Amino acid sequence: AQALSQGTYNTAVGIWYDDTADILYGVFQPGGDAGERRLSQIDPATGTVTFLAQTLTGLAGTIGGVFTGSSSQEHVYFLGSTGGLPGSIYTMDTSTGEATSAGLSGANYNGIASLEYDEFENVLYALVFGTGAQAGERFLASIDPSTGTVTPIGATTIAGGGVVITTYSGVS
């Protein structure tokens, strides 16, 4: 088997299968530099990894498993920080590997537990930790990947205000 990443901490951001293009994508730390991330295509039959053109540098942290994509937009999305909070939403083009980022507003990157893209509505959804009196509760929100704006959806928590949804890094 081919090693997909090196190191022991947050070296794999995640994988996402584009069922329209029939391609498995992943974002990994390709070498010993903890600040690098690179988009790749993975052959599920052989495990062969093909890294795409651009290496994203300067990242101080990413959240493993908080990763999704969009077939129609030809993008993958993940969260990270070049140092400090609130962090950014990163968009990588699946054909070129080119990355853009937008600083988050309304949530910190390490307070978002999950991402999912709705192809029909063209909306990037997230589960976001509450703060203050609702700390520990999760809220459904949308994220605009071009501006980084996190917008809560609805007036209640996912748990209905009573039971906290618990997740661990990479599990949502």
Side-chain angles (χ1 to χ4, degrees), residues 33-98:
D33 185 342
E36 292 183 351
R37 299 296 183 275
R38 195 161 183 193
L39 181 64
S40 63
Q41 293 181 350
I42 308 161
D43 183 330
T46 65
T48 301
V49 176
T50 303
F51 286 108
L52 297 178
Q54 181 181 354
T55 299
L56 184 60
T57 60
L59 285 171
T62 53
I63 305 297
V66 182
F67 181 78
T68 194
S70 166
S71 300
S72 63
Q73 301 297 314
E74 297 182 336
H75 292 145
V76 294
Y77 306 96
F78 66 97
L79 303 164
S81 174
T82 56
L85 297 175
S88 298
I89 178 82
Y90 288 84
T91 303
M92 294 184 97
D93 185 294
T94 56
S95 58
T96 66
E98 181 178 341

